[in-house]
Structure formats: C-alpha cells, structure tokens
Amino acid sequence: MTDRPPIRFRGRSFLAMVLAPVPPIDQWLAELDALKQRAPAFFAVRAIILDVTGLRFERSDLAHLCEELNRRSITILGIEGIGPTSLGPGFPPPLVGGKPVEDIAPPEPGAATPAEAPAASAHVSAPALVAPPAPPRPRSFVLDAPVRSGQVIQHLDGDVTVLGSVASGAEVIAGGSIHVYGALRGRAIAGAVGDPGARILARKFEPELIAIDGLYKTADDLGGARWGQAVQARLEGDAIVLVPFD
C-alpha cells in the first residue's frame, strides 16, 4: 500500500455579493428583472448569497424564491439569516458568520459616480425604446489610486483605468476595457454589459480571475502563461487569449 499525503485544508477568500429580498417579494423580483435588463452581466462571475434575515418565510416561500432566482439564472451559493438548521435537499446550505463590507451599488438610471469614493460605481441608463443612429462614445473612469483588497470598482458605462495596482481580493468591473498600469492580482471583469471587443491590459499580469463578455478564466486555468508579464487579454471567438505587449 502506497503512502498517501495527509488531507490538507486550505483557507481561501472569495468575493461574494449578498442579495437581501424586501417584501413584497413579487415587487422585489420585478425590480430585479429591471436591473438585469439594464445590466445583463451584473450577476456574472459572482458568488451570490441570499440574506433572508428578518423575513418571516415558510419553507415553501423560500423554495419559491430560490426557484424564481434560479429561473433568472441567479445561482445561490448559500442562505444567510436562517440559523444553523439544515433546510434539506433542494436548498442551498445555511451560512453564518458573514462579515459585512462596503455595499455594491447596482446600476441605476441617471445616477452619478462620486469622484471622491475609491470604490464608487458609475451606472448605465435604462435602454431607450428606439436605438439612436450613433451611440455616444463610452465614458472612461480613471482611478489614480491602487485598488485595495476587498474593494470593488464598478463602471458599466465604459473603460476603467487604474493607474496603480489591483490587489488580491479586489475586483474591477467595466462595461468596456480594463487598463491596469501596475500589477493585476485581483479580479478583472471587462465587457460586463455585453462587449466582446473589450480587453484587459495589465503591466504585471498575476490575476485571480479575468472575464470578458461573460467568458472567464481563473488563475488555475491560466497556468503560468505570461505570468508576471505585461499582458493584453482579449477574445478570439469563444476563447480568451493572452498577448504580450510593451
């Protein structure tokens, strides 16, 4: 019998977004539908936690809500606010001990981005009924400070440029391309509202995850390809390719 290494337990930190339903649930689901229509990729490449703290839900009510979210392609990783009791088959597991961080602002029509907030979000407007003949040039968001671990930078109206680095555990989401003048060690999600021409460029490429137009690769998927180099990531068909740049 060959010797096998002992079982190893590893700690790993993931960014998750918490959805907290507000009664009446039918109205909340309608607002969720409107959000998904404005920003179809807002929930892409994210772990979703459902927080039902303070809601008087019967088991059937919770099952119906999970079913409605699943029908909207929103997969729930776990449920918070129901205590340690297992809900049984068909339900996500209960979660306890979550630590709150800064809110992630959803895209709202006409909302402005506070220039002084390092983790602020810029937002898209609701789609017009008649498309204009020439869409306006996407606006860029330039951040002249590094993105720290736990921060989320979201700008769905165009490109995001980070003049510093993006730390491990941080996340940058752009409707267009992402430019990182320092090291990219966190997550970069480009083309988040549907732009296959979006790109991710980093002076030092060491990401936890990259995504373009809904396609993504983790650090494990990327392997050692172009690691630590100046890299441009773009789509070719249904694949993310990495190209060096100077």
Side-chain angles (χ1 to χ4, degrees):
M1 181 175 177
T2 59
D3 292 336
R4 291 177 55 81
I7 295 175
R8 299 175 63 187
F9 295 90
R10 295 178 179 176
R12 183 167 293 183
S13 175
F14 290 91
L15 291 173
M17 185 166 63
V18 175
L19 274 180
V22 178
I25 297 302
D26 288 345
Q27 181 179 335
W28 181 81
L29 287 170
E31 293 167 355
L32 192 66
D33 289 338
L35 170 60
K36 283 180 65 63
Q37 185 177 6
R38 289 195 301 271
F42 185 68
F43 296 97
V45 201
R46 283 183 178 275
I48 305 295
I49 307 299
L50 184 64
D51 184 3
V52 296
T53 303
L55 297 180
R56 296 180 178 179
F57 268 8
E58 299 290 338
R59 182 186 176 90
S60 58
D61 296 329
L62 189 55
H64 173 70
L65 178 57
C66 290
E67 199 174 293
E68 288 293 321
L69 293 173
N70 185 59
R71 193 168 61 83
R72 291 163 172 80
S73 300
I74 299 176
T75 303
I76 302 301
L77 179 67
I79 301 179
E80 189 177 22
I82 57 173
T85 303
S86 174
L87 291 168
F91 286 95
L95 297 177
V96 294
K99 185 181 295 183
V101 295
E102 299 153 342
D103 286 351
I104 300 173
E108 295 286 352
T113 301
E116 68 276 12
S121 302
H123 309 291
V124 296
S125 299
L129 294 178
V130 179
R137 183 179 179 84
R139 297 185 297 275
S140 295
F141 179 65
V142 179
L143 186 67
D144 58 3
V147 186
R148 300 186 302 273
S149 179
Q151 284 187 305
V152 176
I153 304 297
Q154 177 181 293
H155 176 65
L156 300 179
D157 285 338
D159 296 351
V160 171
T161 299
V162 181
L163 300 183
S165 295
V166 178
S168 175
E171 188 172 51
V172 178
I173 306 169
S177 298
I178 296 174
H179 309 258
V180 181
Y181 279 66
L184 171 58
R185 297 191 176 98
R187 295 182 171 203
I189 300 171
V193 291
D195 181 4
R199 305 185 180 198
I200 298 171
L201 300 95
R203 183 61 59 184
K204 189 174 183 181
F205 188 75
E206 300 174 345
E208 296 172 336
L209 177 146
I210 60 171
I212 302 175
D213 192 33
L215 297 175
Y216 68 94
K217 283 184 177 291
T218 64
D220 291 339
D221 298 328
L222 293 166
R226 311 294 180 188
W227 201 255
Q229 301 178 25
V231 165
Q232 173 188 174
R234 65 170 187 256
L235 286 185
E236 286 188 1
D238 290 331
I240 296 177
V241 298
L242 305 181
V243 180
F245 77 93
D246 294 324

